[in-house]
Amino acid sequence: MIRFLANRLLGMAVVLFLVCLFTYVIFFVLSPDPAVQICGKNCTPEAIDQIRANLGLDQPFWQQFWTFLSGLFVGRTYGTGANAVECVAPCLGYSFQSSQPVTGMILQRLPVSATVAIGAAVLWLLAGVSAGLVSAVREGKFTDRFITGLTLTGMSVPNYVLALSLQFLLVVTLGWLPFPQAVPFSEDPLQWFMNFLMPWIVLSIGAAAVYTRLTRANVIETLQENYVRTARAKGLSPGLVWRRHALRPALTPIVTIFGMDFAGLLGGALITETVFGLNGVGKLAADSITKNDQPVIMGVTLLAAFLVVVGNMVVDLLYTAIDPRVRVGSAA
Amino acid sequence: MTGHPLLRVRDLTVGFTTAAGHTDVVKHLAFDLPRGGALGIVGESGSGKSMTSIAIMGLLPKGAKRTGSIELDGRELTTLREREMQAIRGDRIAMVFQDPLSSLNPYYTVGTQIAEAYRSHRTGVTRREARNVAIEAMERVHIRDAARRVDHYPHQFSGGMRQRVMIAMTLSMEPDLIIADEPTTALDVTVQAQILDLLAEIRRDTGAGLILITHDLAVVSEVADQIVVMREGDLVEQGTAERVFCDPQADYTRMLLDAVPRIDDEIGLLRTTSEEDR
Ligand SMILES: Nc1ncnc2c1ncn2[C@@H]1O[C@H](COP(=O)(O)OP(=O)(O)OP(=O)(O)O)[C@@H](O)[C@H]1O
Ligand SMILES: [Mg+2]
């Protein structure tokens, strides 16, 4: 168990290191010179040199990368003497646009993205699993085919189409919801809820469709298992056979996929946040891409990678707890 | 209810209707099993042996149609409602399946699965009591260190031990009839013999009737005193084990017998399986 954990942690560190390296290469080495960009139009060569020195861009690549990497763990100092700026760990640098620390910008927007992600996840998990169960129970019947038809639609409609049409329908045409407006929860819980309702729905529909199909397929497959037949041969009631012998094996794989999907969403929903004007990590990413604000793009990318890797790890641990075949090794 | 055989099957027919049409996979089968008797059902793959056994259990898949009569102790089973049949399954008729690994749920300890029938057929069973029932059943199938092994999962057992667990599962309710569908096919030869010995021992000790299903005449010769030979759903021959072995009437039976490699003419020594049979 300890070895398993150590192995996983080591693997995680390697993956994160590689992600850092690749993003660093892409954003700082292959991109146009950031110093020129920061310096603006009326720029002298001396000013550019000064900026390069401040950012450490005059140093060799590995040196730069090392400074960046250690900045993540222990922070780093930009410039020297009186001009020195202390960037505390985890330091992701400063925005070229606003000169704010990237870490702070992300942390400020993380709660919005988390709210979006958690709400959507709860919604799609509930809707997907229950629709999948109903579909499996009614296999081949009208209800099943109806649900399957819905999931096909749900999976094929792109997010932005859904977001825009939902907004048009609920806000403009029917007037059921006010135009989304960021309001803190403590101020007006109802307005807060209304504000998040549409993003939740938009983000959960595609995933709910996938989870419905997954649940349905898993349950139907599990019901064919020999151990389900054994359970029936023991004289267990159909309800017990279902709950104990079909549901648990059928729903376990869903835990795995859920962890990954949720972690991915936590790193920001680019399109949805932008359409609904939610000031989350996704919108930050979208904005900084249009402005070519490299440190911010890089910070958001690293965050997303970090979340996915950690999510993966959590799922693995969870799986170990759920599946005895992983938890206890087989006897020799 | 004396006078009734333990199991009386008459005119049992199982058919499937598919898009391709209707086929009967078991046709007008009839046999009796006396109380405490052992019946072997033999036949090549696809002859309808498993369908016969799950027809008796009332566990046929969707789309299968069953006609005829199945009487347990004089009580007609084919007309029972699902609830009534549930009360009989696992309590009066228990079943051992072919592949012990896939027939056990990987998510639960063997103890949980062994005690499951007991818990569902009795009311007010405590956890401790159920556990003791499981341990006792495991001891009866000679699983050593049962008090510890009861908390292990199926994947922690070897193939032969898993089949012992399956057999232990049938024992907690002391059924009148145990149906074993190819209980040794997935096991290697030495383990096969041990499992057959175990089934014979349990039958002797508990007085339960046994239906042993196999495609291997050598296996049946170990345990059964009556034999039914099936082919493509038809009963081709029926009689005492001795008679069927020494004086087979049907050509098909003779063919099955020829497939058994004879190391010795003594029936009791025939324990080897032939490769062609698999
Ligand atoms: N769901 C089903 N639909 C249609 N036909 C089926 C179905 N299940 C089984 N059959 C057919 O019923 C026949 C008898 O099958 P059965 O499983 O009883 O054979 P068996 O004698 O147990 O063979 P084996 O030794 O391979 O286990 C086979 O020809 C099989 O193709
Ligand atoms: Mg079979």
Side-chain angles (χ1 to χ4, degrees):
Chain A
M1 188 65 209
I2 303 254
R3 249 184 81 180
F4 171 79
L5 211 70
N7 269 339
R8 297 293 316 173
L9 279 171
L10 194 69
M12 192 168 129
V14 170
V15 170
L16 284 176
F17 174 80
L18 289 177
V19 168
C20 282
L21 183 62
F22 281 124
T23 37
Y24 197 85
V25 168
I26 290 168
F27 288 117
F28 287 102
V29 181
L30 302 179
S31 310
D33 193 341
V36 178
Q37 215 186 317
I38 295 172
C39 198
K41 286 202 178 100
N42 312 318
C43 196
T44 58
E46 293 78 45
I48 290 183
D49 282 344
Q50 181 59 43
I51 293 170
R52 301 184 116 235
N54 272 349
L55 293 176
L57 291 175
D58 48 352
Q59 278 158 1
F61 170 75
W62 284 109
Q63 176 97 45
Q64 284 185 49
F65 181 60
W66 173 248
T67 318
F68 173 80
L69 212 56
S70 54
L72 282 178
F73 292 98
V74 294
R76 67 190 273 196
T77 314
Y78 285 93
T80 45
N83 294 335
V85 186
E86 186 65 32
C87 175
V88 293
C91 174
L92 289 164
Y94 290 86
S95 160
F96 289 167
Q97 293 296 324
S98 63
S99 303
Q100 284 175 0
V102 174
T103 311
M105 291 171 80
I106 290 178
L107 284 182
Q108 196 193 339
R109 287 163 175 82
L110 208 51
V112 172
S113 287
T115 310
V116 170
I118 293 171
V122 168
L123 208 58
W124 91 56
L125 201 59
L126 285 179
V129 171
S130 46
L133 289 179
V134 170
S135 214
V137 174
R138 313 285 305 165
E139 188 193 350
K141 307 247 169 62
F142 174 77
T143 325
D144 177 31
R145 273 182 268 157
F146 180 73
I147 291 176
T148 306
L150 277 186
T151 61
L152 279 177
T153 323
M155 285 192 303
S156 51
V157 178
N159 256 358
Y160 59 91
V161 174
L162 200 64
L164 291 173
S165 32
L166 205 64
Q167 197 159 29
F168 186 75
L169 184 74
L170 293 182
V171 180
V172 182
T173 313
L174 296 172
W176 287 356
L177 290 176
F179 193 82
Q181 227 177 342
V183 180
F185 179 76
S186 50
E187 214 167 275
D188 185 350
L190 188 68
Q191 171 75 38
W192 173 89
F193 183 79
M194 297 289 216
N195 186 27
F196 278 112
L197 196 57
M198 275 193 291
W200 284 338
I201 294 174
V202 167
L203 279 176
S204 59
I205 279 184
V210 174
Y211 280 56
T212 302
R213 296 177 75 89
L214 210 68
T215 306
R216 177 185 182 275
N218 281 353
V219 169
I220 289 174
E221 200 188 296
T222 310
L223 286 174
Q224 312 282 326
E225 292 283 353
N226 284 344
Y227 52 75
V228 171
R229 188 184 57 186
T230 309
R232 295 174 67 205
K234 282 190 251 187
L236 303 193
S237 68
L240 211 56
V241 172
W242 251 87
R243 278 201 309 279
R244 201 179 290 162
H245 291 278
L247 279 193
R248 182 159 171 199
L251 295 185
T252 304
I254 293 184
V255 170
T256 322
I257 299 155
F258 177 73
M260 301 298 293
D261 286 348
F262 179 67
L265 195 54
L266 210 52
L270 223 90
I271 294 167
T272 309
E273 285 178 14
T274 308
V275 171
F276 291 109
L278 291 168
N279 208 5
V281 180
K283 182 151 187 304
L284 180 67
D287 290 347
S288 41
I289 288 169
T290 47
K291 291 174 194 152
N292 201 15
D293 196 346
Q294 287 159 19
V296 183
I297 305 174
M298 173 142 178
V300 174
T301 310
L302 280 183
L303 172 76
F306 177 75
L307 287 172
V308 168
V309 171
V310 170
N312 206 343
M313 171 102 179
V314 169
V315 162
D316 270 1
L317 289 179
L318 219 58
Y319 209 88
T320 319
I322 297 174
D323 193 333
R325 281 167 298 185
V326 186
R327 185 173 64 233
V328 277
S330 51
Chain B
M1 280 204 257
T2 41
H4 292 296
L6 175 61
L7 188 74
R8 186 183 144 98
V9 173
R10 287 293 177 275
D11 204 26
L12 178 66
T13 300
V14 178
F16 283 98
T17 307
T18 54
H22 185 90
T23 36
D24 284 336
V25 296
V26 176
K27 299 164 199 162
H28 310 288
L29 199 64
F31 60 81
D32 284 341
L33 177 68
R35 189 156 280 285
L39 174 81
I41 301 183
V42 196
E44 65 192 352
S45 190
S47 53
K49 307 181 297 291
S50 295
M51 284 300 147
T52 305
S53 65
I54 59 178
I56 295 170
M57 294 295 283
L59 289 177
L60 286 169
K62 272 185 217 141
K65 194 168 150 37
R66 175 182 72 173
T67 55
S69 154
I70 300 165
E71 280 179 20
L72 181 73
D73 241 348
R75 186 180 181 201
E76 181 60 48
L77 299 186
T78 52
T79 51
L80 291 185
R81 274 172 302 172
E82 175 56 27
R83 278 208 90 101
E84 297 169 310
M85 201 56 217
Q86 259 172 48
I88 289 175
R89 278 183 219 130
D91 183 13
R92 308 218 39 213
I93 311 177
M95 192 152 174
V96 177
F97 293 98
Q98 173 172 340
D99 180 13
L101 182 58
S102 69
S103 297
L104 290 166
N105 192 323
Y107 289 90
Y108 301 98
T109 63
V110 296
T112 307
Q113 296 185 64
I114 291 171
E116 217 173 13
Y118 188 82
R119 298 192 80 157
S120 78
H121 288 289
R122 305 260 167 107
T123 45
V125 180
T126 64
R127 224 163 242 280
R128 169 169 295 270
E129 200 182 330
R131 194 183 144 87
N132 287 338
V133 165
I135 293 174
E136 197 190 311
M138 285 171 79
E139 277 164 354
R140 275 168 71 186
V141 297
H142 310 300
I143 295 178
R144 252 176 269 145
D145 207 4
R148 192 171 60 88
R149 298 288 262 162
V150 71
D151 295 321
H152 284 187
Y153 290 88
H155 73 272
Q156 296 172 283
F157 289 80
S158 66
M161 282 296 155
R162 281 178 203 140
Q163 198 55 291
R164 283 175 196 268
V165 169
M166 284 296 290
I167 295 171
M169 252 164 40
T170 66
L171 295 180
S172 66
M173 290 308 293
E174 308 196 331
D176 304 317
L177 173 61
I178 297 174
I179 304 177
D181 187 358
E182 313 245 13
T184 58
T185 309
L187 308 174
D188 60 45
V189 181
T190 44
V191 181
Q192 280 187 13
Q194 291 167 10
I195 295 293
L196 290 177
D197 288 346
L198 177 64
L199 283 172
E201 177 192 324
I202 280 166
R203 185 189 148 212
R204 203 173 53 235
D205 292 352
T206 65
L210 177 69
I211 295 181
L212 181 66
I213 293 173
T214 175
H215 57 254
D216 186 352
L217 269 171
V219 163
V220 139
S221 69
E222 297 267 309
V223 184
D225 36 50
Q226 287 278 324
I227 288 180
V228 164
V229 182
M230 285 180 76
R231 180 190 200 181
E232 285 169 11
D234 287 312
L235 186 151
V236 294
E237 180 154 5
Q238 181 173 26
T240 63
E242 236 156 280
R243 220 266 302 129
V244 172
F245 269 98
C246 302
D247 183 22
Q249 301 296 300
D251 291 341
Y252 180 67
T253 313
R254 242 168 266 138
M255 198 193 78
L256 285 179
L257 275 171
D258 286 342
V260 179
R262 295 194 170 233
I263 303 162
D264 195 301
D265 276 335
E266 285 264 82
I267 290 164
L269 286 177
L270 299 177
R271 273 184 176 172
T272 339
T273 31
S274 78
E275 285 304 317
E276 305 102 284
D277 268 356
R278 299 192 179 215

